[in-house]
Amino acid sequence: MTPEVVKSKRQCEDNENEEEPQKIKRKKKVVENELDQKEWKAITLSKVKKPHLSDALFGEECKISYDQLYEFLKYAALGKQHGATQSSWCRIHHRRRLCGVSVVVLCEVSQLHFYLFYLQFKFLRRMFRHHFSLPPASGDFMERLCGAGKKNHRQISSLDLEKDPVIQKYGNECRGLSGYILTPKEMCLHDYPIEGHDDCINFVCTPCKSPVTDSSPLFGLDCEMCLTEKGSELTRISVVDASGQCILDELVKPKLPIINYLTSYSGITEKLLLPVVTTLSDIQDQLKNLLPADAVLVGHSLNFDLRALEMVHPNVIDTSVLFARKRNKKFKLKFLAEAVLGKDIQRMDGTGHDPTEDALCALELAQYFINQGPRKVAEMNLEAQLLETRKIGEEQGCALPNPQNGVQKPTQSLLDILHFVGQKALLLGGWAEAASSNGQTQTGPQNKQILQRALEEVPTSSFSVIQFGLDSRHDTSDLIAKMRTKLANLQTIYAGPFGKDICLKPLKKIFKKYGHIQSIRIIPDTSEPHICIQYEVLEAAQLAVESLNRAEIGGSPVKVQRPVTESTLDCEMLLKELEKDADNESVIYLTGLRKTQREADLQQELGYLKDLASVFLPRDPRTGKSRNYCFLKFKTPQSAANALTAIEEHEAQGSDLRGRWALTPPHLHQWALQISATGSKLAEPPSGLEAHLQEAQPSFALEQEVQKQMKALDRKIKKLFQRLPNHTLCVILLPGSNRPSESHPGFGLMGIKGENPLLSSCAWC
């Protein structure tokens, strides 16, 4: 190789070496830019305000009333409209960013079912982090939420919708206002004055000849008439513009003497008309000057008003025709105002109708129909509402409910309010069937149909109530016995062997360090003495097993264990799942307290524990005295873990306090105490043949059937939740039952999809 070639090669290598760092720099810069963009995106997303709920309820506050629940749902759906206020028991932050509210009701399912079949509710317990207890089922709550007896007109089928007169007349799709103007044929059918007809020879035509468009102005019009020798003559006219402002309100002097003022309807009296000099001709001139060329008049049975005005107008929307009925029947304006707008007009107090109020009401009805579309109106099933209103009126001894007569009108449900303000509200499933006394509830196939409709319609509804039921009603007394036995076995431990000179008093002193003892006894059927201890809470039994098993007590090592029965075979799995429960993730169980210790003194003593949010100090339901244990809730799970470490360090230094992760949610703890307080005390765990016989009840077939139904309900909620848009508030209600034969408290779970990473990623879906 010549020196020139070698030199040239070296120069090339040097150039490459110079270019390489430049490539690396450029590549590094690109990577840095990408990282900056990702970091900026992450920062931006973190600053986006997402709707979320306040901290979960804890301790004695975990039980709420149905009134509190209703107000919570009302605020979630409406904000501060219609008197709704933020709830104190659970606040919704950034409520305006909610995409919707979905309420799922599991009829006849109670708190008993949730904890007896805890492992079967895999999706519910892992997905919804906010839990609360409820009183037994309340029909009043469902009436306030969905409406009393309104299942029929809310749950109208697709087939019935297609047969609705409104759908048959206008179709399903929304259209502009020009699509609802009366045709010449309809005007003739409904006796409207028409230019050139023999009965309208002397009528005055409005100068409104321009074509009507969807942006043409609407004017509400209503007249009041009195009887003269001629018949009905105009005595008052009111006109409102599209914004609802009254632009004309005049009294009119009839040409002929008045025979009947019709004061109870018109509000006109002789004294009122005495100074009036305005004539019909004056009103006709005012209207001709007032109305633009493409004006659309809106009224209820406007043909009577135009004939009283002796005027012809080509472009009319008649709300008595717009809200179509079968066989050409017509709804009264008073009923439409109540059913659609939630307004009480034309009060029978003797003062007569207010034409301005009636004109405005007709205008708003037309605007509602135009904005919401015919399908929305058909879904209201006004015919069923009218029948219901008449029935209530008959029961109250009058034709229609009238507050002025001292008759209480039906309470407007939340779904009614939502329909009125233009939100799409949906009700699926039948509370009425589930609550009936006939013993007939929803079946599996019905639940499948409800789920299918829910998957299609719930994602597009702003508020939905979905009701699933059990395939058959079962006797819960057997399930209660099963739950009592299961709790008793989980809260019971056996310890031994001990010496023949065993004494319960010193042993009780040792074991009560881990929690309140309900009973302690010596087991006589063993070759060496053993004892059976039943604690008040599950945590105490578990802490005693963890701390004392293989420990030396009375000079010899003893074995501490739970009874081995059918109900405790899955004990280890159950304990792991309970520790991961949303109610327990930041909560620890603490024992070794003085029974006279007050909550304030306890918080001061535990001042070394950081981020302590609240304390739940259980009390004896009979005496009101505090127990020797409590539950501590911390701001984060990490704070709770740090607190456990600190408690263990203090225990090593001689402190009497001992702790572990909580296992019993406060609402389950209170439910178990309630059973004891009502005289149905948790039985001591049976043994031998007695245990086998007790665990044979309820029958295996019944338990398997109910377990299967709980799994199916859990899966249905999972499928529905997957279809919900992010930022949807989902509330699951297990309302329990409230019958003379039995009463079981309810239970609730809720969360906002996307509120936290678990709900956002739907990891368990």
Side-chain angles (χ1 to χ4, degrees), residues 57 62 125 128-133 581-583 667 747-749:
L57 297 170
C62 68
R125 56 187 170 82
F128 298 97
R129 309 182 64 77
H130 300 263
H131 303 167
F132 51 90
S133 291
D581 192 282
D583 282 323
H667 34 76
F747 189 63
L749 308 92

Side-chain angles (χ1 to χ4, degrees), residues 146-158 160-161 164 378-388 391 415 427-433 453 467:
C146 309
K150 294 188 179 178
K151 179 185 73 68
N152 290 333
H153 79 257
R154 290 297 181 212
Q155 198 179 335
I156 185 169
S157 68
S158 299
D160 290 337
L161 269 180
D164 189 280
E379 287 176 348
M380 298 177 74
N381 202 343
L382 295 171
E383 203 71 50
Q385 291 196 52
L386 180 61
L387 290 174
E388 179 189 340
K391 182 179 178 181
L415 292 190
L427 173 63
L428 295 176
W431 170 265
E433 288 93 346
R453 284 195 61 191
Q467 300 174 84

Side-chain angles (χ1 to χ4, degrees), residues 485-492 538 541-542 562 567-568 571 574:
T485 302
K486 187 168 187 175
L487 280 175
N489 285 330
L490 290 174
Q491 293 168 193
T492 298
L538 176 57
Q542 184 64 17
R562 281 194 174 82
S567 62
T568 59
C571 178
L574 180 62

Side-chain angles (χ1 to χ4, degrees), residues 650-705:
H650 278 66
E651 182 184 354
Q653 297 172 7
S655 173
D656 291 333
L657 298 180
R658 293 167 175 81
R660 76 167 322 277
W661 289 106
L663 297 169
T664 311
H667 34 76
L668 175 59
H669 173 78
Q670 291 185 344
W671 181 77
L673 288 180
Q674 186 179 6
I675 292 177
S676 298
T678 55
S680 302
K681 192 173 181 178
L682 291 177
E684 291 187 1
S687 57
L689 179 60
E690 182 186 359
H692 174 74
L693 292 175
Q694 283 198 17
E695 293 219 353
Q697 300 294 330
S699 68
F700 180 76
L702 171 62
E703 186 178 353
Q704 286 294 100
E705 177 59 30

